[in-house]
Amino acid sequence: MNENSCSFHNEEELRDGQVEGVSAGYPPPCDKDNSALLAFRGIPISELKNHGILRALTAETNNGWEPAVMNTEVLRAQEEWEAVDSIQPETGSRASSDQPGQLISFIEALQHFQTVDLSSFKKRIQPTIRRTGLAALRHCLFGPPKLHQGLREERDLVLTIAQCGLDSQDPMHGRVLQTIYKKLTGSKFDCALHGDHWEDLGFQGTNPATDLRGAGFLALLHLLYLVMDSKTLLMAQEIFRLSRHHIQQFPFCLMSVNITRITIQALREGCLSRECNRQQKVIPVVNSLYAAAFLRLAHVWRTQHKTVSDSGFVLRDLEVLAKKSPRRLLKTLEIYLAGVAKGQASLLGARKCAGPQAPPSKDLTFTGVCDLPPHSSEGTWLI
């Protein structure tokens, strides 16, 4: 066999080898950088990293291959690989309870306060109103009964939480804010703890901590209770819609803080002692009075066509009612919740006559209970 025939056969074998390589799924030897990228283009970046493929593709030498010019896609893939963290499988049991994005229940938030040291805040509380002279005699003869001894620690916890401020560095505090925001707006994403979006919920500024005067973190716990209890969530959403009415709008969260203040004052003055003694509980009674008072305010606001200029007078009448007839307010709440459970129309009538909604105005002049002059508890109150 001559030399030319040998050369011919060698070329034939080389071509056959190349065809077999392509049919077997391997890239042809030419233009290796583009063919390698095409082969792995559908694989997620995290998988490429885990298997070391990107490292091999972007290495300066790989089986003797050293491309003359670095392909832009290879360079971009290398940068992405540098930015990707190692993927660690995570089960539900391993997830941190303070992980951002997780909703928090009222019970979980309350347990946090039951386990941390609140001694510095407890020193500030005044559990009861100090009365002297005829006022003390009248209260002794005609006032409500004293709270049972076994319930006083629970009462003090409520008042102590009202002394605690909002700490943006505490993960639990952040989760409470995130839960309130998501439940009211329907958002699935976390939001910044400071920003204009809090004004949309009815805070006066971009930092909710500045609006908790007189109610402390208890104001946020009450909002959390309202949105996380399946029985009151619908009510919270309806009142929130009413607060965004184009004429009757009011700052929802700021109004809620004022209702928490009213509830705290009713507790301190002993107005809830009879009901707490009857139920042998304090926190559930305080929560229910808060929800009942908010429901009452919304009903008066809608039916009597109140606007934000009426806020101070509506809150003052609500405070008198909460102190004089807390049981009456609680009964109204029970009736409302029973109607919701049966699928009946809302007592607020928000579905029928809520009217168009408007973005919250920053020019609203809101008067809270702390901004009104002192008044006698014997004053007139709404029926």
Side-chain angles (χ1 to χ4, degrees):
M1 183 176 297
N2 58 29
E3 186 174 317
N4 291 336
S5 62
C6 289
S7 175
F8 174 79
H9 286 296
N10 288 338
E11 291 175 1
E12 288 287 338
E13 290 173 0
L14 179 60
R15 285 196 298 271
D16 291 342
Q18 290 177 352
V19 171
E20 289 175 2
V22 172
S23 62
Y26 296 98
C30 62
D31 198 14
K32 289 185 178 181
D33 54 342
N34 289 331
S35 60
L37 284 170
L38 290 173
F40 298 110
R41 183 170 290 173
I43 303 177
I45 292 294
S46 59
E47 286 298 317
L48 293 176
K49 177 184 177 182
N50 289 341
H51 291 87
I53 298 174
L54 267 179
R55 188 182 298 276
L57 286 176
T58 56
E60 291 186 357
T61 58
N62 185 13
N63 294 331
W65 168 51
E66 184 176 358
V69 179
M70 179 68 76
N71 186 283
T72 56
E73 291 189 28
V74 175
L75 192 58
R76 188 182 306 114
Q78 184 177 12
E79 293 173 352
E80 291 182 17
W81 180 85
E82 296 291 344
V84 172
D85 291 332
S86 299
I87 305 300
Q88 298 293 335
E90 181 179 60
T91 61
S93 60
R94 293 184 181 179
S96 170
S97 60
D98 289 331
Q99 180 182 356
Q102 277 192 320
L103 300 182
I104 185 171
S105 68
F106 174 83
I107 295 299
E108 185 180 352
L110 179 62
Q111 288 174 345
H112 171 83
F113 285 101
Q114 291 173 329
T115 56
V116 298
D117 181 16
L118 300 177
S119 56
S120 60
F121 298 102
K122 191 173 183 178
K123 295 176 182 178
R124 308 177 190 173
I125 70 172
Q126 184 180 347
T128 58
I129 299 296
R130 296 177 181 176
R131 297 176 177 88
T132 59
L134 291 177
L137 179 61
R138 180 181 177 183
H139 181 78
C140 181
L141 296 176
F142 306 107
K146 291 185 177 181
L147 188 67
H148 291 169
Q149 184 69 34
L151 298 176
R152 293 177 186 178
E153 183 177 351
E154 189 177 351
R155 176 202 60 192
D156 292 351
L157 175 62
V158 172
L159 299 177
T160 301
I161 295 175
Q163 292 292 324
C164 300
L166 172 62
D167 182 3
S168 60
Q169 302 301 317
D170 190 322
M172 189 279 296
H173 290 209
R175 288 177 62 202
V176 169
L177 279 178
Q178 299 285 2
T179 300
I180 293 170
Y181 180 82
K182 290 178 181 179
K183 282 292 187 176
L184 288 176
T185 64
S187 173
K188 302 296 183 183
F189 304 99
D190 285 346
C191 62
L193 298 184
H194 296 163
D196 293 342
H197 49 280
W198 294 113
E199 295 180 358
D200 296 339
L201 261 63
F203 286 104
Q204 283 187 313
T206 59
N207 182 6
T210 60
D211 289 334
L212 304 182
R213 178 171 59 97
F217 202 87
L218 184 64
L220 296 179
L221 278 189
H222 275 167
L223 276 171
L224 183 67
Y225 161 77
L226 205 64
V227 301
M228 287 302 286
D229 191 305
S230 58
K231 296 177 295 184
T232 56
L233 174 59
L234 177 62
M235 184 185 85
Q237 293 171 338
E238 287 183 336
I239 299 176
F240 183 59
R241 286 198 297 270
L242 176 63
S243 74
R244 298 172 68 85
H245 190 275
H246 67 295
I247 295 176
Q248 293 184 272
Q249 61 178 308
F250 60 85
F252 176 85
C253 287
L254 197 58
M255 190 72 82
S256 173
V257 172
N258 276 268
I259 296 175
T260 296
R261 292 173 184 164
I262 291 174
T263 307
I264 293 171
Q265 196 64 16
L267 178 65
R268 293 179 64 239
E269 293 185 17
C271 303
L272 304 183
S273 297
R274 189 185 307 277
E275 189 63 25
C276 290
N277 291 342
R278 188 181 70 84
Q279 295 191 25
Q280 287 298 300
K281 299 174 182 177
V282 174
I283 292 177
V285 173
V286 171
N287 289 346
S288 295
L289 182 67
Y290 158 81
F294 215 159
L295 178 65
R296 171 68 181 179
L297 179 140
H299 177 73
V300 169
W301 201 271
R302 185 188 66 81
T303 58
Q304 299 185 19
H305 308 288
K306 300 296 185 182
T307 63
V308 71
S309 61
D310 304 310
S311 58
F313 304 102
V314 174
L315 285 169
R316 182 171 63 185
D317 292 335
L318 183 63
E319 180 179 7
V320 174
L321 179 59
K323 293 178 180 179
K324 280 197 168 185
S325 304
R327 180 58 191 159
R328 183 177 180 180
L329 279 176
L330 294 174
K331 188 63 178 178
T332 303
L333 178 66
E334 291 175 8
I335 295 173
Y336 168 80
L337 296 179
V340 171
K342 295 178 181 178
Q344 297 175 354
S346 166
L347 294 179
L348 294 178
R351 297 172 184 171
K352 295 182 179 180
C353 52
Q357 294 185 359
S361 172
K362 296 184 179 181
D363 299 326
L364 294 178
T365 303
F366 180 84
T367 305
V369 292
C370 291
D371 302 316
L372 291 173
H375 68 283
S376 171
S377 60
E378 304 299 324
T380 305
W381 42 276
L382 296 176
I383 302 297

